[in-house]
Amino acid sequence: MNNRVLGQDLAVSPVGLGCMGFSHGYGAATEEKEAEELIRKAYDLGYTFFDTAEVYGTEDDPHHNEKLVGRALHDIRDRVVIASKFGLSFDKSAGKAPYPLIPDARPETIRRSVEESLERLNTDHIDLYFQHRIDPEVSPEEVAGTMADLIKEGKITYWGISEANEAYLRRANAVCHVTAVENRYSMMARQYEALFPVLEELQVGFIAFSLMANGFLTGKYGKGQHFDAATDYRAAMPQFTDAAVEQNQRLLQLLNDLAAEKSATPAQISLAWMLNKKPWIVPIPGSRKLSRMEENFHASDIVLTKDEVAAIDKALDGVGMSAVFGGSRVKRR
């Protein structure tokens, strides 16, 4: 397995595991013992990078996911990289998921969050600590200054920004080097490709989430699909409507054709396309099935040439697509 390097020197497996779905956003939470076993089996497959957040929880336990990850990885803590996130809460007064997001990146909030996350993760440091969303009421310089202090104190080793834009990234990076951004990226959501030259200039890695358009690009979902609106965000995502499934048939056929050429699956092609685009892109697909974890991990074995990646980009530019979920609404405090 060839590790990838985020930022200047953070080595991680080429594909990471997004752990959110064990607790949050994709239906009822996985039974805890089963989830812990799956996380450990992911490590056995070769995953060394595990992504969680303080806000990934259940109705009964709002911090469920960090505790789960902490228990699963505790005895191999020195062999894995754990990423977690601070500075976000849900506005549940809306009464319907996906709930609007409320960012809070005040230094006192960050310090409280890191201490609580360290306890839940059962560790003395967080390898990669993300600002979960930009807080318009706190300057990037103030956030970066707090991150620099936490690095000096040994509570975190590296830091990053989720859903970063160029202006915010440049200002933050000028104070304390940003190791990675974690942004939405898939064949259906390519807007952050405009940020790639900046990432190369600043030596910042890119962690891709929602990289299969929340599972749509696996080709496993068709018309008449039902999701529980109380626990599954996909119930409100436009790409899963019957009309969208019909509208996206050319895209799905493109994926199927590419998969056949490479003796792969559509999901693996979705991953291989971004893995072969830049050596500093690390996708973090989430799955609750061991077979899917294995399938996703071995997407890193698929080689696409620069010409093949460019041809896929050109084909994607010409394929009509439906709207795709672009994230929950962000509200000011």
Side-chain angles (χ1 to χ4, degrees):
M1 179 190 69
N2 294 318
N3 280 335
R4 296 205 156 199
V5 175
L6 297 171
Q8 295 169 340
D9 58 1
L10 177 58
V12 297
S13 52
V15 178
L17 183 66
C19 296
M20 182 185 80
F22 290 116
S23 307
H24 174 85
Y26 289 89
T30 305
E31 190 274 325
E32 289 188 359
K33 186 174 185 298
E34 179 186 357
E36 290 175 36
E37 290 176 351
L38 284 167
I39 291 170
R40 283 304 294 263
K41 287 177 180 177
Y43 171 77
D44 293 339
L45 287 171
Y47 289 84
T48 62
F49 181 43
F50 298 84
D51 180 90
T52 183
E54 65 175 352
V55 78
Y56 297 159
T58 64
E59 287 297 326
D60 295 331
D61 183 353
H63 308 298
H64 181 266
N65 203 248
E66 281 189 324
K67 296 174 185 176
L68 193 68
V69 171
R71 289 195 301 269
L73 300 176
H74 177 62
D75 64 331
I76 52 169
R77 180 66 188 90
D78 61 342
R79 287 173 267 168
V80 298
V81 172
I82 295 176
S84 194
K85 310 178 194 74
F86 68 85
L88 203 61
S89 62
F90 296 113
D91 178 14
K92 294 193 174 182
S93 67
K96 184 179 179 182
Y99 302 112
L101 307 174
I102 303 173
D104 183 354
R106 292 173 292 182
E108 61 268 28
T109 299
I110 297 171
R111 286 199 164 274
R112 181 176 65 250
S113 290
V114 74
E115 295 296 345
E116 292 174 353
S117 288
L118 287 169
E119 182 175 355
R120 288 190 291 265
L121 289 165
N122 196 17
T123 186
D124 62 357
H125 72 285
I126 297 169
D127 299 294
L128 181 55
Y129 200 40
F130 280 102
Q131 180 180 3
H132 209 154
R133 290 293 184 274
I134 290 172
D135 183 347
E137 298 181 32
V138 181
S139 74
E141 290 83 3
E142 190 169 15
V143 175
T146 304
M147 294 297 104
D149 290 341
L150 292 177
I151 290 170
K152 290 176 184 176
E153 294 164 21
K155 293 178 179 178
I156 69 174
T157 310
Y158 303 89
W159 83 288
I161 307 164
S162 185
E163 294 287 66
N165 58 54
E166 179 180 353
Y168 192 94
L169 173 61
R170 286 189 180 278
R171 289 174 60 184
N173 189 72
V175 175
C176 181
H177 183 257
V178 176
T179 290
V181 301
E182 184 173 316
N183 288 10
R184 187 179 304 274
Y185 184 48
S186 74
M187 287 182 169
M188 295 184 76
R190 296 168 59 199
Q191 64 272 21
Y192 284 115
E193 288 181 352
L195 193 61
F196 287 0
V198 180
L199 300 180
E200 289 189 320
E201 174 195 341
L202 300 179
Q203 204 172 351
V204 175
F206 187 93
I207 298 169
F209 74 88
S210 293
L211 47 116
M212 293 182 210
N214 306 98
F216 183 82
L217 295 176
T218 63
K220 303 295 183 183
Y221 301 96
K223 293 182 179 179
Q225 190 72 43
H226 174 74
F227 301 103
D228 183 355
T231 58
D232 198 318
Y233 285 6
R234 290 171 294 185
M237 293 182 181
Q239 66 266 36
F240 291 102
T241 65
D242 285 355
V245 171
E246 187 68 31
Q247 189 175 353
N248 291 319
Q249 284 306 302
R250 286 182 61 206
L251 171 60
L252 295 175
Q253 188 59 54
L254 172 65
L255 273 170
N256 284 326
D257 291 345
L258 291 166
E261 289 176 19
K262 294 293 181 178
S263 299
T265 66
Q268 288 177 321
I269 293 299
S270 295
L271 289 164
W273 164 75
M274 61 179 69
L275 283 164
N276 284 276
K277 183 167 285 196
K278 299 291 182 182
W280 37 260
I281 293 178
V282 176
I284 51 167
S287 181
R288 299 191 281 180
K289 294 182 179 179
L290 183 61
S291 60
R292 294 280 178 263
M293 290 180 186
E294 187 171 9
E295 175 186 345
N296 294 338
F297 191 80
H298 285 293
S300 62
D301 298 333
I302 298 170
V303 176
L304 298 173
T305 67
K306 288 184 179 180
D307 287 344
E308 287 175 317
V309 171
I312 294 171
D313 286 345
K314 184 176 180 180
L316 291 172
D317 290 339
V319 172
M321 302 181 194
S322 73
V324 64
F325 183 66
S328 302
R329 183 165 60 94
V330 177
K331 297 178 62 177
R332 298 180 84 98
R333 288 195 305 277

